[in-house]
Amino acid sequence: SGFFGLGLAPESPDWGTSINAGRGLLQFVPFPPLVPAIAIMSLVLGMNLLADGLREESLRE
């Protein structure tokens, strides 16, 4: 639990935990950790593109 009782409970799933749990299966089945890894990659890429677009728009004025 987080500070002051706020935050995620230790047993709640997140993308990093899903990737780590699927890491042991990579030798046999490579797909389980790919879904959360692609989700993280898409989020980061999307946020970078959004920030670049906002920066370019602010410099145009």
Side-chain angles (χ1 to χ4, degrees):
S1 76
F3 191 65
F4 291 124
L6 301 174
L8 296 175
E11 66 275 354
S12 49
D14 59 2
W15 287 338
T17 304
S18 298
I19 293 171
N20 192 29
R23 196 175 61 178
L25 299 173
L26 280 175
Q27 185 177 5
F28 306 109
V29 183
F31 303 114
L34 284 181
V35 174
I38 291 172
I40 291 173
M41 182 183 68
S42 299
L43 177 67
V44 170
L45 182 62
M47 295 300 285
N48 280 324
L49 291 173
L50 176 66
D52 285 345
L54 291 174
R55 182 176 49 101
E56 291 293 325
E57 187 65 31
S58 70
L59 291 176
R60 192 182 324 183
E61 294 175 352

